[in-house]
Amino acid sequence: MRSKAHWGYDDAFMRKSAAALLVSEASIAAGRVLVATDDAGRTIGTVSVAEDDEGAELALMFVDPPAIGGGTGRKLFEAAVSLARRLGYRRMTILADPNAAPFYERMGARFLRNAPSDAIPGRTLPLYEYDLTPETVP
């Protein structure tokens, strides 16, 4: 919630988004959730790799605001790419917050189109695709 709120969203928006920001116990049990910690062992980021209709989906990637810009996002993204490859996927979609779009572009994701938000009816978000074939390096 802190990571999402970092971008200046108001309380009403955050309430509407809350359910879509939950990490499921099933994803954790399946080994699809990765967590970044700092030197003191505090959680500073998380990402999960979900399955969509055609492959992997990068889901719920968040970095604690004090850690933004310090490389945590890149490390989480690279770890998610490795996990998706190990799971046998060849492509990964990313339904991105508009504020995170430049990050995903720097990682090599390709913009596909705007797509409906998974949390806010009537809102659209940039949808990206990342090629997971072995020659692609984040």
Side-chain angles (χ1 to χ4, degrees), residues 19 21-28 33 46 48 60:
L21 301 178
L22 294 176
V23 176
S24 75
E25 289 184 27
S27 292
I28 294 168
V33 178
T46 186
S48 64
L60 302 173

Side-chain angles (χ1 to χ4, degrees), residues 39-132:
D39 292 338
R42 293 179 297 248
T43 299
I44 58 171
T46 186
V47 67
S48 64
V49 176
E51 186 171 34
D52 70 11
D53 295 337
E54 300 175 22
E57 176 189 1
L58 185 82
L60 302 173
M61 183 163 158
F62 295 104
V63 175
D64 199 31
I68 291 174
T72 301
R74 175 178 285 280
K75 289 176 186 173
L76 283 168
F77 185 84
E78 290 170 350
V81 165
S82 293
L83 175 58
R85 285 179 175 149
R86 282 194 311 275
L87 293 171
Y89 297 111
R90 300 194 45 79
R91 65 183 284 277
M92 181 166 59
T93 57
I94 306 160
L95 186 61
D97 184 286
N99 295 291
F103 168 81
Y104 293 120
E105 290 172 7
R106 285 192 305 275
M107 295 300 100
R110 181 176 61 91
F111 177 78
L112 296 175
R113 65 185 176 281
N114 285 315
S117 167
D118 56 350
I120 310 290
R123 183 176 191 230
T124 61
L125 300 171
L127 179 66
Y128 288 88
E129 178 180 71
Y130 187 82
D131 181 1
L132 293 169

